[in-house]
Amino acid sequence: MTVAFRPTPSVVRRDSGLYGYERALARRGLGPVAGVDEAGRGACAGPLVVAAVVLGRRIDGLSDSKLLTAARRESLYERITATAGAVSVVVIEPAEIDARGLHRSNIEGMRRAVARLSCDLGYVLTDGFPVPGLPVPSLGVWKGDQVAACVAAASIVAKVTRDRMMTALGDRHPEYGFAVHKGYGTVGHRRALETYGPCPAHRFSFATVARSGPGEVMSENEVGAGLA
């Protein structure tokens, strides 16, 4: 009788440091490890940006991009992109989010980001939830951008990329203040929507945009989406 081989499971302690997941997977022969995260999920304007990163050398100071200052994120972004084993970025525009839905767009963006990496992978860590359909084994890690270095790096790449895009959108549509709030539903952004209505950079399937003021153009799947 043939007995299936089952490897002893690895246990990664929460206090094992930001590189604990990568070390444990490498010991099992499951490297390189890619981290995947997105930026802009909760915004009602601008794209959803997904990044996948395979780290090269160790980078001190990595953390969840939301916990870092803008200047610190920019500095780490330069170090990540200069030293990483592989980096890929996927931009999902508002029209695709409206057509697919936010979560499906997020999942698809993560698949695309992993597929575009320029190296063979052994494992993928995603932030928060599992992603089916990846080409190698994967794990959704709760608060992954705070406990896994490669996911933290992906969160920084996604955040800096998207912030730069929103600043450029702010130059084209100064009335909304995109460079300040980056498309999230702040009081100032909601007031601008009430005054001017949405522009093509807005996500029409989001309730904040659906309830906006003059000049609005409703999309077919706008009513009842309530995803903001």
Side-chain angles (χ1 to χ4, degrees), residues 22-190:
E22 283 98 327
R23 287 196 302 267
L25 290 165
R27 287 196 298 268
R28 293 288 176 180
L30 292 172
V33 181
V36 188
D37 200 4
E38 86 287 324
R41 183 179 173 90
C44 62
L48 179 71
V49 176
V50 183
V53 175
V54 176
L55 286 172
R57 69 184 64 173
R58 184 184 183 97
I59 299 176
D60 293 330
L62 290 176
S63 183
D64 175 4
S65 62
K66 297 183 291 297
L67 303 178
L68 301 169
T69 65
R72 184 62 175 158
R73 283 196 299 269
E74 287 281 350
S75 175
L76 286 167
Y77 173 91
E78 298 300 333
R79 292 170 61 190
I80 293 164
T81 54
T83 64
V87 176
S88 71
V89 176
V90 170
V91 176
I92 301 176
E93 298 292 350
E96 183 174 348
I97 296 171
D98 288 338
R100 282 183 180 271
L102 179 63
H103 187 65
R104 287 180 62 193
S105 296
N106 199 354
I107 293 291
E108 179 61 22
M110 289 182 166
R111 290 178 184 143
R112 293 179 198 169
V114 170
R116 292 180 187 178
L117 286 169
S118 60
C119 67
D120 294 331
L121 297 175
Y123 210 86
V124 174
L125 298 175
T126 58
D127 183 41
F129 50 83
V131 176
L134 294 176
V136 296
S138 63
L139 177 68
V141 182
W142 176 247
K143 294 189 181 297
D145 48 10
Q146 297 180 31
V147 299
C150 57
V151 180
S155 78
I156 291 167
V157 171
K159 173 69 171 165
V160 171
T161 301
R162 187 176 186 278
D163 282 358
R164 292 175 178 179
M165 296 178 71
M166 295 308 297
T167 298
L169 274 176
D171 292 339
R172 296 202 295 272
H173 303 283
E175 64 273 22
Y176 298 101
F178 290 143
V180 177
H181 53 66
K182 304 300 189 293
Y184 289 88
T186 63
V187 172
H189 190 185
R190 291 197 300 270

Side-chain angles (χ1 to χ4, degrees), residues 213-225:
E216 60 187 349
V217 179
M218 297 288 184
S219 65
E220 291 181 358
N221 62 345
E222 189 173 15
V223 179

Side-chain angles (χ1 to χ4, degrees), residues 1-43:
M1 181 177 68
T2 301
V3 178
F5 171 71
R6 296 189 179 186
T8 305
S10 295
V11 176
V12 180
R13 293 171 55 90
R14 299 293 284 190
D15 60 357
S16 61
L18 205 60
Y19 288 84
Y21 280 94
E22 283 98 327
R23 287 196 302 267
L25 290 165
R27 287 196 298 268
R28 293 288 176 180
L30 292 172
V33 181
V36 188
D37 200 4
E38 86 287 324
R41 183 179 173 90

